[in-house]
Amino acid sequence: MRPIIDTVEVRIVGEGDRIQLVHGDGGEATRELIEGFFLPRIGSEELRVAGDAVRPGEETDLWMTTDSFVVSPLQFPGGDIGGLAVNGTVNDLAVAGARPRWFSAGFILEEGLPLEVLGTVLDSMGRAARIAGVRVVAADTKVVERGAADGIYINTTGVGTTLRGIDLGPHRVRPGDAVVVTGPVGDHGVAIMAGRAGISFETEVTSDCAPLWPLTGRILEGLGGGVHFMRDPTRGGLATVLGELARAAGCRVTVEEARIPGRPGVRGAAEMLGLDPLYLACEGQAVIVVESARAERVLEIIRSGDGPWDPAIIGRVEEGPVGVSLTTELGGTRPLGPLRGDPLPRIC
Amino acid sequence: MRPIIDTVEVRIVGEGDRIQLVHGDGGEATRELIEGFFLPRIGSEELRVAGDAVRPGEETDLWMTTDSFVVSPLQFPGGDIGGLAVNGTVNDLAVAGARPRWFSAGFILEEGLPLEVLGTVLDSMGRAARIAGVRVVAADTKVVERGAADGIYINTTGVGTTLRGIDLGPHRVRPGDAVVVTGPVGDHGVAIMAGRAGISFETEVTSDCAPLWPLTGRILEGLGGGVHFMRDPTRGGLATVLGELARAAGCRVTVEEARIPGRPGVRGAAEMLGLDPLYLACEGQAVIVVESARAERVLEIIRSGDGPWDPAIIGRVEEGPVGVSLTTELGGTRPLGPLRGDPLPRIC
């Protein structure tokens, strides 16, 4: 939920002053809700800063992040809400340059939920936690009446510890830096939307749900200060992360469409569903901004990892008007603006 | 959700192997669900140990706890879900002997929620955080369709830091120790159930929702090692905390009904609703087990605090068969068993 602050005018997206689905899609309306409504009331210095994980207080070497998972359906091609709830929070810490350590898990269960489904989800959580090397140390379970939830909602909050000497963030991004993405974009979003619509495609489309730890740890070990910024493109997708980066770093980001990895099956499915993969959630990918001379080394490290990855240098950081510019496969350029339009609710 | 482990036979409370409301009431069914279903799949050493807050790893001085809040109605006499979500997590840390520091907040909002209600809830959260001296450093917001939640659900996860030299827990409880309760029991539970039933009573019944920090810090400073155990009686109430204490410490706890503080209005309302205040949630009280010679000093410290308190020594720890024994106002004795019977869903 934690967008980079901008000077955009704050206005709650209207219709009788009620929460709408668009407030949850991770785009502009989410940002307006948070800046106009949440920050003035429960804001702290940490909440006002960019990034999905925060370092609470200079006196600690801790990082902390939280995410609630409301994905529908609970089980989808390539994963389920349990694995997603662990990996999503692992990844927020991993891209902050922190080692994920201790997790809490809060469950809201709907009356009537088959225990078999709960068991499968918990099995996935346990497996994902073991793979990422985190421990669930605190948990809570609430049950609500039939119709007051939709099966299972899970909150995970993760605490991680800082890697020594690592400083990541938009403040370190410089013109000339290379923009790397770890692998194909949009897989998770398309898998969920296809699963929900009950559509199956010739090519199987599965979520890329996977942990970015220990991958980011290996990248930071290998390149140290050469890595300037990392972020996982979840709600709002690659385009949203690039837009937030451009605003926060006060620079221009140019990317080439032809270089952005994407599975043909996912592109085709997205097209049929009327969706743009550049705005769809990934759940196992990262955008990494790195000194351009070290970018090839980052690709090597990613390729040696065991995950849904197929990395590419997709563009670079430039001086110039703040924003994101896409060079299309036909050679034209177009701005890659913020997500606007139909919300995609409950993607994670 | 984190009960003390016992040797009770694990059996999921039946009816077609589905989640039922009784799994969420904090009593035996909750315990069976957690021990039979959650711990084998996502359990860690910390999750298996008693207590609402845990210390993740010996190498840190951190404590961590999580709670999801699904209380219905969102606003009730004496508070709302926002204040409850902060104080509930503050209190879990406070009774562990930790100073509450950094909080995360995860929101699940239902489409159609009036922004005015959200604003009031966030105001309460901000106020409660300031009073307890905690900062919300990470947050997340999800929106679900109308009918897939009930207004607002909030998860808070709190990280605290250990007070030096403090060791609390059932392992420190000794025969002869005094059992203290900070104030009247059952207020929160009755306020919620009355609010939900739309009943108003001659005497106003309000929730005791309040932070136990810095109170517990002052008690621990004042008595140091003389305090052996603290716990806040939320779901399942005073009787459940005493039962868990007796089992975990392997001792007998005897309490005198006449000494247990209770507001007459709450007792009367509970009786009309067919509820026993000893099993109803408090949200601003603690059970404190202390060396009997120091018990009066604890009462003095509590009385000097600013909260919904009116402390009393209600009983003591004895050798003898494990369990809780209540001396009634008529002079008889009866066992105070675990919560069984109609669940009280969404009390917190």
Side-chain angles (χ1 to χ4, degrees):
Chain A
M1 105 167 205
R2 312 193 43 271
I4 289 162
I5 301 301
D6 192 9
T7 55
V8 70
E9 185 196 353
V10 171
R11 68 202 141 76
I12 302 300
V13 178
E15 196 197 323
D17 293 324
R18 287 175 181 272
I19 287 290
Q20 300 169 58
L21 289 176
V22 70
H23 286 121
D25 73 0
E28 290 294 281
T30 306
R31 197 154 70 92
E32 289 166 10
L33 178 71
I34 290 162
E35 293 176 14
F37 233 76
F38 282 79
L39 291 182
R41 291 175 169 90
I42 61 164
S44 61
E45 205 177 315
E46 290 87 351
L47 263 190
R48 287 187 179 85
V49 174
D52 283 321
V54 294
R55 187 170 174 182
E58 286 299 315
E59 77 266 44
T60 77
D61 67 345
L62 299 179
W63 286 80
M64 193 168 172
T65 187
T66 193
D67 248 319
S68 293
F69 295 85
V70 297
V71 66
S72 168
L74 294 174
Q75 297 166 300
F76 47 80
D80 66 25
I81 191 172
L84 191 63
V86 171
N87 287 331
T89 293
V90 162
N91 292 351
D92 284 345
L93 291 167
V95 297
R99 177 185 158 202
R101 305 288 297 270
W102 307 294
F103 272 45
S104 67
F107 297 87
I108 298 173
L109 307 177
E110 185 189 11
E111 181 190 13
L113 175 76
L115 285 176
E116 194 191 330
V117 175
L118 177 61
T120 305
V121 165
L122 292 173
D123 283 337
S124 296
M125 288 191 81
R127 207 160 37 237
R130 280 190 297 277
I131 291 171
V134 301
R135 284 209 313 279
V136 179
V137 297
D140 176 65
T141 303
K142 294 293 190 306
V143 178
V144 298
E145 321 86 271
R146 220 177 276 265
D150 189 8
I152 308 176
Y153 297 150
I154 305 176
N155 174 281
T156 52
T157 300
V159 174
T161 44
T162 308
L163 304 182
R164 261 165 219 239
I166 296 301
D167 178 27
L168 298 171
H171 64 282
R172 295 211 51 227
V173 170
R174 299 276 176 276
D177 282 353
V179 178
V180 169
V181 67
T182 52
V185 301
D187 292 16
H188 178 76
V190 168
I192 296 295
M193 297 310 287
R196 206 180 296 169
I199 301 172
S200 64
F201 299 96
E202 273 182 45
T203 321
E204 199 187 5
V205 175
T206 62
S207 168
D208 56 353
C209 183
L212 289 166
W213 184 265
L215 176 68
T216 57
R218 286 208 303 270
I219 292 171
L220 291 168
E221 261 173 38
L223 279 88
V227 182
H228 294 165
F229 173 91
M230 298 197 288
R231 188 69 57 85
D232 56 329
T234 56
R235 276 187 297 184
L238 176 66
T240 300
V241 164
L242 295 178
E244 292 184 355
L245 168 64
R247 278 201 305 272
C251 62
R252 183 142 204 88
V253 175
T254 59
V255 290
E256 290 182 48
E257 192 169 24
R259 291 175 177 269
I260 299 173
R263 300 185 204 284
V266 168
R267 285 182 185 180
E271 200 166 316
M272 282 184 57
L273 292 161
L275 302 169
D276 182 345
L278 299 185
Y279 289 87
L280 292 179
C282 311
E283 290 291 348
Q285 307 300 342
V287 174
I288 302 171
V289 179
V290 61
E291 278 174 17
S292 67
R294 321 282 306 270
E296 285 293 341
R297 176 78 191 110
V298 171
L299 302 193
E300 281 167 26
I301 295 171
I302 299 167
R303 285 192 194 111
S304 72
D306 180 22
W309 303 314
D310 179 16
I313 300 167
I314 61 168
R316 58 183 184 166
V317 177
E318 297 181 354
E319 307 223 28
V322 168
V324 183
S325 174
L326 180 80
T327 306
T328 67
E329 304 205 14
L330 299 173
T333 63
R334 65 175 173 94
L336 214 52
L339 177 65
R340 290 209 179 267
D342 291 342
L344 301 180
R346 301 181 58 190
I347 209 84
C348 61
Chain B
M1 103 166 207
R2 312 192 44 270
I4 289 162
I5 302 300
D6 193 9
T7 53
V8 72
E9 184 197 354
V10 171
R11 69 203 140 75
I12 301 300
V13 178
E15 196 197 323
D17 292 324
R18 287 173 181 272
I19 288 290
Q20 300 168 61
L21 289 176
V22 70
H23 286 121
D25 73 0
E28 290 293 281
T30 306
R31 197 154 69 94
E32 288 167 11
L33 178 70
I34 290 162
E35 292 175 15
F37 233 75
F38 282 78
L39 290 183
R41 290 174 169 91
I42 62 164
S44 61
E45 204 176 317
E46 291 86 351
L47 263 189
R48 287 187 178 85
V49 174
D52 283 321
V54 294
R55 189 171 172 181
E58 288 298 316
E59 77 266 44
T60 76
D61 67 344
L62 299 178
W63 286 79
M64 193 168 173
T65 187
T66 194
D67 248 320
S68 294
F69 295 84
V70 297
V71 66
S72 168
L74 294 174
Q75 297 167 300
F76 47 81
D80 66 25
I81 191 172
L84 191 63
V86 171
N87 287 331
T89 293
V90 162
N91 292 352
D92 283 344
L93 291 167
V95 296
R99 178 184 158 201
R101 305 288 297 271
W102 307 294
F103 273 44
S104 67
F107 297 86
I108 298 173
L109 307 177
E110 185 189 11
E111 180 189 14
L113 175 76
L115 286 175
E116 193 191 331
V117 174
L118 178 61
T120 305
V121 164
L122 292 173
D123 283 337
S124 297
M125 287 191 82
R127 207 159 38 236
R130 280 190 296 279
I131 290 171
V134 301
R135 285 208 314 278
V136 179
V137 296
D140 176 64
T141 303
K142 294 293 189 307
V143 178
V144 298
E145 320 86 271
R146 222 176 275 264
D150 189 9
I152 309 176
Y153 297 149
I154 305 176
N155 174 281
T156 53
T157 300
V159 174
T161 43
T162 308
L163 304 182
R164 261 165 218 239
I166 297 300
D167 178 27
L168 298 171
H171 64 283
R172 294 211 52 227
V173 170
R174 299 278 175 275
D177 282 354
V179 178
V180 169
V181 67
T182 52
V185 300
D187 291 18
H188 179 75
V190 169
I192 296 294
M193 296 310 287
R196 207 180 295 170
I199 302 173
S200 64
F201 299 97
E202 274 183 43
T203 321
E204 199 187 5
V205 175
T206 62
S207 168
D208 55 354
C209 183
L212 289 166
W213 184 266
L215 176 68
T216 57
R218 285 208 303 272
I219 292 171
L220 291 168
E221 262 174 38
L223 280 88
V227 182
H228 295 165
F229 174 91
M230 298 197 289
R231 187 70 56 85
D232 56 329
T234 56
R235 276 187 297 184
L238 175 65
T240 299
V241 164
L242 296 178
E244 291 184 356
L245 167 64
R247 277 201 306 272
C251 62
R252 184 142 205 88
V253 175
T254 60
V255 291
E256 291 182 45
E257 192 170 23
R259 290 175 179 269
I260 299 173
R263 301 184 204 284
V266 168
R267 286 182 183 179
E271 201 166 317
M272 282 184 57
L273 292 161
L275 301 169
D276 182 346
L278 299 185
Y279 289 88
L280 292 179
C282 310
E283 290 290 349
Q285 308 299 341
V287 174
I288 302 170
V289 179
V290 59
E291 278 174 18
S292 68
R294 321 281 307 268
E296 284 295 340
R297 177 76 190 113
V298 171
L299 301 193
E300 282 167 25
I301 295 171
I302 299 167
R303 285 192 194 109
S304 72
D306 180 21
W309 303 315
D310 179 15
I313 300 167
I314 61 169
R316 59 183 184 166
V317 178
E318 297 180 355
E319 307 223 28
V322 168
V324 183
S325 173
L326 180 80
T327 306
T328 66
E329 304 205 13
L330 299 173
T333 62
R334 65 174 174 92
L336 215 52
L339 177 65
R340 291 209 178 267
D342 291 342
L344 301 179
R346 301 179 58 189
I347 210 81
C348 61

